[in-house]
Amino acid sequence: MTANINLPRILHIGGGASQLLAKTLADLEIANPLLVTDPFMVSCGYLERLEQQLREAGIPCGKFADCVPDPTTEAVDQALAALRRGGHDAVVALGGGSSIDTAKAVAVLALHGGAMRNFKTPAVVTSSLPIVAIPTTAGTGSEATRVAVITDTETEEKMLCMGVGLMPVAALVDFELTLSMPWRLTADTGLDSLCHSLEAYVSRRANPFTDSLALTAMASIYRNIRLACEQPENRTAREAMMLAATQAGMAFSNASVTLIHGMSRPIGALFHVPHGLSNAMLLPEITAWSVGASPRYATVARHLGIADEADQNEVALGKLVDGLRQLNQDLQVPSPADYGIEKRQWFGSLELMAQQALDSGSPANNPRIPSAVEIVELYTRVWNAA
Ligand code: NAD
């Protein structure tokens, strides 16, 4: 079996990498990009720094700074209108996964027209305007994935869109932009990356290329996530988390996510739980349900140092689940009940969530493949799981 790998054409990684935007645009012969970002990036001065860089280089640009968390088709349409008004030839995304995915959707619709729901899986996005991504969370890895997640404003479905047309041509991975992340955001986005790497490694579509990225990323995240939360200015921890997030993105984008992400998207769409947090709510229980189906989970336990080399697989698996429960406790991940989701609403939505999870295709890559009934049972179990 061959592995089909897609990656950005240009990657600049390290402190100050975002200062290479003008050079990157010149290298790609992009003449007039639309900068796509959210209000926080304006208020903290990150956007202005990019604009100044482009002014100095004589590169004209426009901006759309109204991205919303868990981007909607409505926000995408507004950004698309800005792109068309300015006659822009590319998009530059500055922000977390929400800004990057908004920019990706705009780049697709600018070229193809139509509605974003036409591009949700199993459709395949083959082309778009050039996308340059500058991530500010460590995080989704969207800067290096052929994936975008857009919520349909009409149906509230969090749509998974995939294809090489969604891969940024360039990514500027600058950990210095993450130094401003507060405790909760650091924890949530770091847990998202941890899920990406774990899911990529156990995925039925894992391959030797993604394995090495996934293992490297998960160890780095597990070692640094508590530190990055407690010491937001710790450059070593921030740098490790940022690199790992990009590696985890590369891994899952080329191996797929599995059941955790499949079940997480509906929680985000219906109850507006931040993406990393809804993954984290599921992480220990879904892992506990899946571990018996793949010896790879035991490798993960040993690789993270949660289990000893001498431990039998069964012991290692138990330690892995306990270790993930402990991590959730340390990072104060609430259960859906503790998060404040209304019980009636949660239990009234289980079948819909299970169907949306299955429709995304992600659960089919899990080592243990669930039926709709089993997914409903898992959502029930997770409701109160600490
Ligand atoms: P986000 O982009 O939604 O941002 C969350 C909040 O954090 C925003 O208010 C933002 O302004 C703020 N923020 C971002 N960077 C900051 C910084 N450096 N300092 C302080 N505040 C900052 O968060 P996210 O978790 O990066 O993205 C989540 C979205 O990405 C979800 O919609 C999710 O489904 C999607 N996602 C996409 C992929 C992909 O491959 N395309 C993968 C995983 C998740």
Side-chain angles (χ1 to χ4, degrees):
M1 199 179 72
T2 56
N4 302 313
I5 307 298
N6 296 121
L7 298 169
R9 249 194 283 165
I10 297 174
L11 279 159
H12 291 294
I13 300 177
S18 59
Q19 291 307 308
L20 294 172
L21 178 61
K23 173 186 165 27
T24 305
L25 295 177
D27 288 347
L28 291 165
E29 298 182 3
I30 292 171
N32 177 20
L34 178 71
L35 308 184
V36 177
T37 191
D38 72 23
F40 174 79
M41 300 299 146
V42 178
S43 66
C44 73
Y46 288 172
L47 180 68
E48 170 53 26
R49 272 201 257 159
L50 293 187
E51 287 181 309
Q52 188 183 338
Q53 204 193 126
L54 298 194
R55 267 195 306 275
E56 284 168 8
I59 300 174
C61 66
K63 66 180 161 198
F64 173 81
D66 290 321
C67 289
V68 293
D70 292 325
T72 56
T73 46
E74 197 179 353
V76 169
D77 288 343
Q78 290 166 7
L80 181 62
L83 180 126
R84 289 194 169 133
R85 272 196 308 276
H88 300 288
D89 59 351
V91 291
V92 173
L94 169 72
S98 297
S99 295
I100 299 177
D101 285 4
T102 303
K104 287 181 174 186
V106 168
V108 172
L109 296 180
L111 191 67
H112 295 282
M116 211 50 211
R117 75 175 65 98
N118 302 340
F119 297 95
K120 76 173 181 179
T121 52
V124 177
V125 182
T126 52
S127 52
S128 70
L129 290 190
I131 302 158
V132 176
I134 307 175
T136 62
T137 60
T140 67
S142 183
E143 66 276 8
T145 73
R146 54 183 174 200
V147 176
V149 187
I150 304 291
T151 300
D152 192 322
T153 308
E154 278 173 37
T155 62
E156 291 204 314
E157 182 188 359
K158 223 171 159 181
M159 300 181 293
L160 179 64
C161 305
M162 294 179 72
V164 71
L166 292 165
M167 177 62 73
V169 285
L172 311 182
V173 183
D174 183 350
F175 74 90
E176 290 178 354
L177 300 176
T178 67
L179 292 168
S180 55
M181 280 205 293
W183 196 99
R184 184 73 262 160
L185 186 64
T186 303
D188 291 350
T189 51
L191 285 162
D192 189 21
S193 305
L194 182 65
C195 289
H196 289 156
S197 53
L198 176 66
E199 291 176 75
Y201 186 67
V202 300
S203 165
R204 285 168 180 260
R205 290 168 53 203
N207 55 73
F209 182 86
T210 57
D211 283 351
S212 59
L213 289 165
L215 285 169
T216 304
M218 71 174 79
S220 194
I221 296 161
Y222 191 72
R223 237 180 270 127
N224 287 285
I225 189 167
R226 292 173 179 91
L227 195 56
C229 286
E230 296 306 332
Q231 299 176 12
E233 304 279 331
N234 186 319
R235 292 172 66 86
T236 309
R238 291 294 198 188
E239 185 164 20
M241 292 295 291
M242 184 88 245
L243 176 61
T246 301
Q247 290 171 321
M250 289 174 176
F252 94 77
S253 173
N254 290 295
S256 169
V257 280
T258 59
L259 184 55
I260 296 173
H261 266 74
M263 287 178 62
S264 169
R265 285 181 217 104
I267 300 177
L270 292 181
F271 304 110
H272 305 291
V273 179
H275 177 69
L277 196 56
S278 59
N279 288 330
M281 287 173 176
L282 296 161
L283 173 62
E285 293 312 313
I286 302 307
T287 305
W289 186 80
S290 305
V291 285
S294 168
R296 287 193 153 220
Y297 286 104
T299 308
V300 169
R302 294 189 189 99
H303 187 71
L304 297 184
I306 295 177
D308 298 325
E309 289 301 325
D311 285 332
Q312 299 287 326
N313 272 7
E314 216 166 290
V315 174
L317 296 178
K319 285 187 175 178
L320 176 63
V321 174
D322 290 347
L324 295 177
R325 289 208 173 103
Q326 184 61 50
L327 182 64
N328 266 9
Q329 233 174 56
D330 294 349
L331 297 179
Q332 298 171 28
V333 174
S335 67
D338 290 339
Y339 186 75
I341 294 173
E342 209 192 305
K343 188 171 185 181
R344 208 163 39 98
Q345 238 192 323
W346 177 267
F347 284 93
S349 309
L350 297 187
E351 277 77 19
L352 174 67
M353 292 201 292
Q355 198 50 53
Q356 288 185 351
L358 281 175
D359 287 350
S360 74
S362 305
N365 299 311
N366 205 54
R368 181 176 174 191
I369 299 179
S371 64
V373 172
E374 285 171 317
I375 294 182
V376 167
E377 277 169 17
L378 286 168
Y379 276 129
T380 304
R381 199 178 301 173
V382 160
W383 167 249
N384 243 332

